[in-house]
Structure formats: C-alpha cells, structure tokens
Amino acid sequence: ALVMALSCVFVLASCNSGTDDKKETEPPKPATAPDGYITYDNGDISFAYPSDWKKTEGSTTLLVNKSGKGNNITVVYEEKNEIYGKASDSELEKLMKDSISAAGMSISNFKRTKTKNDYNDIIKLTYTISASGTSMKQTQMIATVGDRTYVVTVTETTADQTLVDNVFNTFVVLK
C-alpha cells in the first residue's frame, strides 16, 4: 500500500510539474512612439517616424519624408538575406561600394555593428554616401523576419541624431 501511495504522489507531482514552466509568450508589440512621432506597423516590423512626415507605400518599399527632399526613412524588404550578418566587414563594405558606385555614388566611413535595442538584435550599418558634391549620412537597421530581410534606412542630409535614435529605439520585429 505504501508503494501504491508513493506511486500516486509521484504521478501527481510529475503531472503538475510542467505546467508552471510553460508560460505562453505574447508576440512583441510595437514600441510606444515618442512625442511628435507616429508608429508604422506592417505586421512584420514597426518603428516610429515624425508625425508631420508623409508616408508613401509601394509593394516592397516604404518612403517616409517631410517634403520630398532632405531627411527621409525608407524601408525595403527582400528575400531572406544573411549576407549582412555573415560577410566580413571588408566583404560587406566592398559589396556596398560596388552597389552604390553602380548608381554613380561613392561611400565612405562604413561601419557595421551587431547591436540590440530593447526589442531585438539588429545589424546596424552607418556610412556616408556622396553624389554630385552632396554628402548624406545613412544609417541602416537590418532584421530578418521569417523569409524576408527588412532594411530600414534613415538618410540625413541635415544631421538629426534624434531622428536616428527614435527610429532605432522603436524598431521592433513583430514576429
């Protein structure tokens, strides 16, 4: 009888032991936009951008800007592309330079950082792009969601670190 009682206690204990460990995790939610910003959310990613900027969406692109010129944010997605994380810094810089020079521009001050914000791991590229005597700083935040790689690019024709920080700090992979 003692063996039977101990068996019942063991079975009951083992049946109950796994339930406390199985906490369902909720999918990430878009970050709260800072004052003066609104949130873009396409179901895969979200980020905040200035509320007085215009949003123009294409089938695989998004452009957010104020007047058609100056600082802007673009979002492009492509098939899953692991090159951003797997290539060496010099290989990635060469790929970027080749791509940009094909468009008649040059690139300098290239830097890749594997970083995190409060929500996810992000590959961050920063560089200066020059064309026809004009230089612009670009910061790209890259994340892969399922079978897509998203590249969020902040282009600064006028330095605006607050813009870059607000986009970076609110960039969330939702899936």
Side-chain angles (χ1 to χ4, degrees):
L2 179 59
V3 172
M4 188 81 127
L6 287 175
S7 296
C8 287
V9 168
F10 177 73
V11 168
L12 288 173
S14 65
C15 287
N16 194 24
S17 67
T19 58
D20 293 338
D21 296 339
K22 293 182 182 179
K23 294 180 182 175
E24 289 196 28
T25 57
E26 292 184 30
K29 293 184 171 87
T32 302
D35 288 345
Y37 282 68
I38 58 176
T39 300
Y40 170 78
D41 175 352
N42 73 357
D44 283 345
I45 63 166
S46 71
F47 63 90
Y49 65 90
S51 59
D52 61 343
W53 286 23
K54 182 179 131 190
K55 177 179 75 169
T56 307
E57 286 190 79
S59 60
T60 61
T61 60
L62 167 74
L63 171 65
V64 183
N65 62 8
K66 187 166 186 169
S67 63
K69 291 187 176 182
N71 294 354
N72 65 70
I73 303 165
T74 57
V75 179
V76 177
Y77 74 82
E78 55 191 45
E79 288 185 26
K80 185 175 184 176
N81 186 345
E82 296 180 353
I83 192 78
Y84 301 105
K86 291 190 174 184
S88 70
D89 287 347
S90 59
E91 290 170 326
L92 187 57
E93 182 175 11
K94 181 179 180 339
L95 286 169
M96 296 290 290
K97 282 183 174 182
D98 290 349
S99 174
I100 288 171
S101 68
M105 299 179 276
S106 64
I107 187 175
S108 60
N109 305 316
F110 179 86
K111 182 179 177 186
R112 173 179 55 185
T113 310
K114 294 179 182 177
T115 188
K116 295 179 178 218
N117 61 14
D118 289 342
Y119 307 97
N120 42 278
D121 294 334
I122 297 172
I123 295 171
K124 190 175 184 181
L125 306 180
T126 55
Y127 52 88
T128 302
I129 192 166
S130 301
S132 304
T134 302
S135 293
M136 301 164 278
K137 180 181 175 191
Q138 290 198 320
T139 303
Q140 295 184 309
M141 291 152 261
I142 302 163
T144 298
V145 181
D147 62 351
R148 291 183 178 168
T149 296
Y150 283 89
V151 180
V152 178
T153 304
V154 179
T155 301
E156 300 172 78
T157 55
T158 304
D160 190 348
Q161 191 61 46
T162 300
L163 172 65
V164 174
D165 291 345
N166 284 335
V167 172
F168 175 76
N169 291 330
T170 61
F171 181 61
V172 181
V173 175
L174 299 172
K175 293 185 175 180

